[in-house]
Amino acid sequence: MTEAATGREQVPVAGPRTLTILGATGSIGKSTLDLVERNSAAFEIVALTAQSNVADLASAARRTRARLAVIGDASKHEELREALSGTGIRTAAGPEAVTAAAAERADCVMAAIVGAAGLEPTFEAVRQGRRVALANKECLVSAGDVFMSAVADAKAELLPVDSEHSAALQALAGAAPESIERIVLTASGGPFRTWNSEELERATPEQALRHPNWSMGAKITIDSATLMNKGLELIEAYHLFPVSAQQLGTVVHPQSIVHCLVSYTDGSVLAQMAFPDMRTPIALALSWPQRMSAPTQRLDLAAVGTLSFEPPDEKRFPALTIARDALLRGGTAPAILSAANEVAVEAFLSRQIGFLDIVRVVAETLEAAEARGAIITAGSLAEVLAADAEGRRLARDVLVRYV
Ligand code: NAD
Ligand code: MG
C-alpha cells in the first residue's frame, strides 16, 4: 500500500453510515480503518473484531470510538478490558462473540477475516440482510452456492472487495448476461514469475512474502506466489457473476494496473485500471453506488510506460489448473482445496515443507478426498464446515510424507 497522498479534498459519502469491521487488525482491516478515519464524519463504527492483537484492536476502537471491540482469542479478554477501561467501549471475546458482532445492526459489514474462520461471522452478517463488503474470499470458494443462496434469501447486498472482482463489477456495469463473452482476471505473477522449477523448489518464505506490487496479509501473499490466489479468484468470480467456468480466464500482467477485462459479444473489451492499492476497491464497496475519495497514488500511464500481458505458465504454477479442476468438479471440492491450501501454506511458512510442496499437498488431498467419496454436494454451512474439517484432516495426513 502506498502512503503517497494526493492532497485532494476529501469528499465524504452520504452518511454517517454505520460500519462493522471483522478482521480490523489485518491488512484489509487497516486499509478500511484508514479510509474511515480520513472520512470520520461519514462513518460510525459499530464493532471491530480481531483474533489476538489486543493492542491494535484497542487502539483502533479508541480512535474510532467504536461501540464494541471483540477479541477472538478468549484468553485475551482481560487484557482487552484493561486496554479499554474508562472508554465506555463494550468488549467481548471468543468465536461466538465475533459472530455476534457481525449480527449487530450496521449499514455495512466489512468481512476481512482471513480463511475459513471468516465463514460463520460473514454468514451471520449476510443473514441479517446487511451490505457485506466481502474481502474474505473463502466464503465464495468454500461455500459458494450456499453463500449466494443465503445472500438471496436475506436480500443482503454483496460487494466484492477483491480488486479483480471490484474491477469486474465496474466493467460489467449492469450488462445483460447474454452480452458478456468473457471475464479475464489479471495476475501479477507474484515474486517468482520468472523463476524456473529448480529455483521454485528452493524458494523460502521470506522470498515468497516479498510481493512485487501488493502489500497484503501473509496467507494471500503466499497464495499470490503459487498463483493459488488466482485459482481461488476464478471460483470467486464464478459465483459472483453470471458466467460459466469456461467464460473465465486469467492473464499475467506484471504491472498490476489493469485488474480485470470484460469482453462483450460485439468485440468491445472494458477494463478497469488503478494503481495497486486495496483502498480503491475498499472505498468502492463502502460507498457504492457512489464514490468516495481514497488517498491513493494516482495512475499516470505515461509514467508507467508499458503495460504487458502474458499467458500464465501452468506447468510451473499448477495451482491454477488444480483450482479450475476443483471448480469444474463442483460440490465440496473447492472447500477441500481451500482447506488443504490453508494447511499447506501454514506448513510452508513454518518451514515444514518446500514451496512447490504446497500445491502437491493440495492436489494429493483432493485425490484422497475423491478416492474416499468425500466430495459431496453441500446444502448448508454446516456441511461446508464439515468438508473444511475433512479437508484439513486429509491434508495433514498427506503432509507427513513431505515434512
Ligand atoms: P490478514 O492476515 O492481514 O488479517 C486477517 C484478520 O483476520 C486479522 O484482523 C485477524 O485478527 C483476523 N483473524 C485471523 N484469524 C481469525 C480467527 N480465527 N477468528 C477471527 N478473526 C481472525 O489478512 P488480509 O490480507 O487482510 O486478508 C483478509 C481477507 O481478505 C482474506 O480472505 C484475503 O484472501 C482477502 N483479500 C485480501 C487482500 C489484501 O490485499 N490483503 C486482497 C484481496 C482479498
Ligand atoms: Mg485479488
Side-chain angles (χ1 to χ4, degrees), residues 23 25-28 51 112-114 117 135-138 162 216-217 278:
T25 55
S27 165
I28 294 288
Q51 177 59 11
I113 292 174
V114 63
N136 177 278
K137 58 186 80 189
E138 293 78 5
D162 217 335
M216 311 181 283
M278 286 308 292

Side-chain angles (χ1 to χ4, degrees), residues 254-275:
Q255 297 82 15
S256 297
I257 297 294
V258 176
H259 302 291
C260 178
L261 305 110
V262 178
S263 320
Y264 289 93
T265 46
D266 61 0
S268 193
V269 180
L270 295 190
Q272 187 264 358
M273 290 188 258
F275 187 84

Side-chain angles (χ1 to χ4, degrees), residues 188-191 211 216 219-229:
S188 69
H211 196 282
M216 311 181 283
K219 158 72 169 52
I220 183 173
T221 304
I222 302 301
D223 288 346
S224 298
T226 58
L227 288 206
M228 183 59 85
N229 184 49

Side-chain angles (χ1 to χ4, degrees), residues 371-397:
R372 286 168 172 244
I375 298 175
I376 54 158
T377 304
S380 66
L381 175 58
E383 286 173 1
V384 171
L385 292 173
D388 177 83
E390 175 72 357
R392 280 165 208 272
R393 261 195 306 275
L394 292 172
R396 287 194 193 100
D397 288 348

Side-chain angles (χ1 to χ4, degrees), residues 38-211:
R38 288 170 193 268
N39 290 272
S40 55
F43 296 98
E44 246 178 72
I45 296 293
V46 174
L48 299 177
T49 82
Q51 177 59 11
S52 54
N53 189 339
V54 169
D56 282 7
L57 175 63
S59 160
R62 278 175 183 269
R63 294 194 317 269
T64 60
R65 295 188 200 87
R67 291 180 220 157
L68 171 67
V70 180
I71 193 84
D73 179 348
S75 72
K76 302 207 163 170
H77 195 184
E78 197 44 46
E79 197 184 331
L80 179 65
R81 237 188 308 229
E82 269 168 36
L84 290 175
S85 73
T87 60
I89 298 168
R90 281 187 294 136
T91 66
E96 296 79 19
V98 173
T99 299
E104 295 263 327
R105 181 178 292 278
D107 296 327
C108 178
V109 175
M110 166 57 73
I113 292 174
V114 63
L119 289 174
E120 299 248 35
T122 309
F123 263 81
E124 186 57 37
V126 164
R127 279 188 216 109
Q128 302 295 328
R130 309 279 183 244
R131 162 177 293 200
V132 175
L134 187 70
N136 177 278
K137 58 186 80 189
E138 293 78 5
C139 280
L140 286 169
V141 174
S142 300
D145 291 334
V146 180
F147 188 72
M148 291 311 287
S149 302
V151 168
D153 290 349
K155 298 194 173 57
E157 188 185 14
L158 190 62
L159 286 162
V161 168
D162 217 335
S163 54
E164 298 76 3
H165 307 78
S166 175
L169 178 75
Q170 296 170 73
L172 282 165
E178 59 276 14
S179 69
I180 306 163
E181 212 160 66
R182 212 167 154 66
I183 298 181
V184 176
L185 311 177
T186 61
S188 69
F192 303 146
R193 183 173 59 89
T194 58
W195 290 32
N196 64 35
S197 300
E198 293 77 57
E199 291 167 324
L200 288 174
E201 202 75 73
R202 290 191 302 270
T204 65
E206 289 72 26
Q207 291 167 326
L209 285 169
R210 229 172 282 138
H211 196 282

